[in-house]
Amino acid sequence: VINPTKLGFQTYNFLFELQNISYDKQIELEKYLINSEYTKFVSLASGSWEYQVTLFIKDLNVLNLFLEDLNQQYGKYIKNNNFHLRAKTLYVGSFLEVLSKKTIIKNQSKTSPSNSSSINLDELDSKILEIYSKDASLSVKEIALKLNTTFEKVRYKLDKLKKDNIISSLEANINYTTFNYNKYSLALKINSYTKNFEKELKKFLIETKNSLYAIKTIGNCDIRIEIVAKNQNEFKNFILELRKKFGENIAYSNFAIQLNELKKVSFPQQ
């Protein structure tokens, strides 16, 4: 996984529904989002929103220009949008943990854009990250051959990128449907967000073992949780247990099932 905050980027999520849009216009909108240099992730969904988009943005002026252009071209088709900034990671799970229902101890990143220093990359760093983000299984020798450089240079660069926490871990791109699981995204608005609430939520996510990750956000919602469930009943049980534990503190919740990933990249294209 490439850590965008170390490169000076912030991560924003944009969830929205569509209205009064033709098929051709919807395909045009999808191509617009997929081809944008600012989008990291684009997914079709069904539920409280129809599209889930993640953005890599360095400059608020750039964010404003992107949103203005999106609104000018497609604003009349977008409704009930939920826009938020990723503030920090609360929990990182594992799909293997879901399958085995065993607790796996792991490091949890708590990086916040406000306390992260930006690291400058040279041309070779950028090329290595671009290749690595597309296929992390490549050996150092294979990357060196692709870039027409030496094994030693690539090895040194990769070690430094990992030491600087720009490359934080390996990430398997798992097709959950192969195991008959569906992926859900849950957005929560919290009445009173305290340190104790955060501690209890982390404990709940570890115990239930259905969550891939949870993040604290700034914007229309306070928390986003990505969940995998075998069927609707399993997801429903997760929600029921969540409400038993925190119901009085949840102002409202929205969720959607992810249908089809249209774009997924790890390295900013800007």
Side-chain angles (χ1 to χ4, degrees), residues 229-244:
K230 196 86 171 177
N231 49 51
Q232 287 185 351
N233 283 336
E234 187 172 344
F235 177 69
K236 181 181 177 182
N237 288 336
F238 176 90
I239 297 297
L240 288 174
E241 291 302 316
L242 182 71
R243 290 200 172 278
K244 282 181 185 177

Side-chain angles (χ1 to χ4, degrees), residues 129-183:
L129 284 173
E130 186 175 0
I131 291 172
Y132 197 75
S133 67
K134 292 175 181 176
D135 187 357
S137 68
L138 289 174
S139 67
V140 175
K141 183 179 180 181
E142 288 171 322
I143 295 174
L145 286 171
K146 281 179 175 288
L147 296 176
N148 194 28
T149 188
T150 64
F151 174 94
E152 289 76 13
K153 279 186 179 180
V154 174
R155 178 75 275 167
Y156 170 79
K157 289 290 189 180
L158 278 173
D159 286 344
K160 190 171 188 307
L161 289 167
K162 290 175 182 177
K163 182 180 178 181
D164 290 337
N165 200 31
I166 294 173
I167 298 175
S168 56
S169 65
L170 293 177
E171 180 185 70
N173 191 14
I174 298 171
N175 183 356
Y176 303 104
T177 59
T178 302
F179 298 89
N180 296 317
Y181 276 81
N182 289 315
K183 190 175 179 182

Side-chain angles (χ1 to χ4, degrees), residues 204-236:
F204 171 83
L205 295 174
I206 292 169
E207 290 173 350
T208 52
K209 301 183 183 70
N210 277 89
S211 304
L212 296 177
Y213 71 84
I215 59 173
K216 188 180 187 303
T217 61
I218 300 170
N220 294 95
C221 64
D222 297 310
I223 295 170
R224 277 270 314 289
I225 307 173
E226 296 290 313
I227 302 155
V228 286
K230 196 86 171 177
N231 49 51
Q232 287 185 351
N233 283 336
E234 187 172 344
F235 177 69
K236 181 181 177 182

Side-chain angles (χ1 to χ4, degrees), residues 29 37 43 46 55 86 114 129 132 168 174 223 243 264:
L29 170 60
E37 63 180 316
S43 175
S46 178
L55 304 168
R86 181 173 183 154
S114 61
L129 284 173
Y132 197 75
S168 56
I174 298 171
I223 295 170
R243 290 200 172 278
K264 185 177 182 180

Side-chain angles (χ1 to χ4, degrees), residues 114-131:
S114 61
N115 58 20
S116 298
S117 57
S118 176
I119 295 174
N120 294 321
L121 303 178
D122 62 25
E123 185 178 357
L124 183 57
D125 289 325
S126 298
K127 287 180 178 179
I128 290 172
L129 284 173
E130 186 175 0
I131 291 172

